[in-house]
Amino acid sequence: MDQPLRFRYTSYMGEFHPAEKKVVVEFSPEDFGLTEVQKMKLRKLAGPRYNPEKETIKMSCESFEHQAQNKRYLAELVEKLLTEAKVCVCS
């Protein structure tokens, strides 16, 4: 898939609204070329954000003032989750 991360924004047609800064990202663990063990670890790391029916992980952020900042935070968070999922916990 060319765009594994799907971002969603909310616009209120020029009107100010507090929820306008919120960004939602959704992605599937299948889209990143992970092994089965890594996909399972990613699902566990995502916790309740993983939807087993759709097989997607969905996260949102509205901590920052601008949508671009919230999008960047989510992209970095996804990258950290993927990096952690790839770490081998070998004994």
Side-chain angles (χ1 to χ4, degrees):
M1 179 177 252
D2 292 342
Q3 301 268 326
L5 299 180
R6 295 171 294 283
F7 289 95
R8 191 178 76 228
Y9 309 91
T10 305
S11 172
Y12 292 89
M13 304 302 243
E15 298 289 322
F16 173 77
H17 193 281
E20 177 170 63
K21 60 186 179 177
K22 182 177 181 179
V23 178
V24 177
V25 65
E26 191 170 2
F27 62 96
S28 173
E30 300 293 325
D31 295 339
F32 293 95
L34 302 173
T35 66
E36 284 305 314
V37 171
Q38 291 170 337
K39 284 187 249 184
M40 188 182 306
K41 188 172 178 184
L42 180 58
R43 289 183 203 115
K44 287 180 181 178
L45 288 169
R49 294 164 194 82
Y50 176 69
N51 180 336
E53 293 174 7
K54 290 182 168 183
E55 295 186 6
T56 58
I57 295 172
K58 185 175 175 181
M59 299 183 294
S60 66
C61 180
E62 52 186 316
S63 301
F64 301 99
E65 187 177 347
H66 301 286
Q67 283 182 340
Q69 294 169 304
N70 289 312
K71 179 182 179 182
R72 182 171 44 245
Y73 172 79
L74 287 170
E76 290 172 359
L77 185 59
V78 169
E79 188 63 39
K80 288 177 185 175
L81 285 171
L82 289 170
T83 300
E84 189 61 33
K86 292 176 184 176
V87 172
C88 177
V89 185
C90 305
S91 51

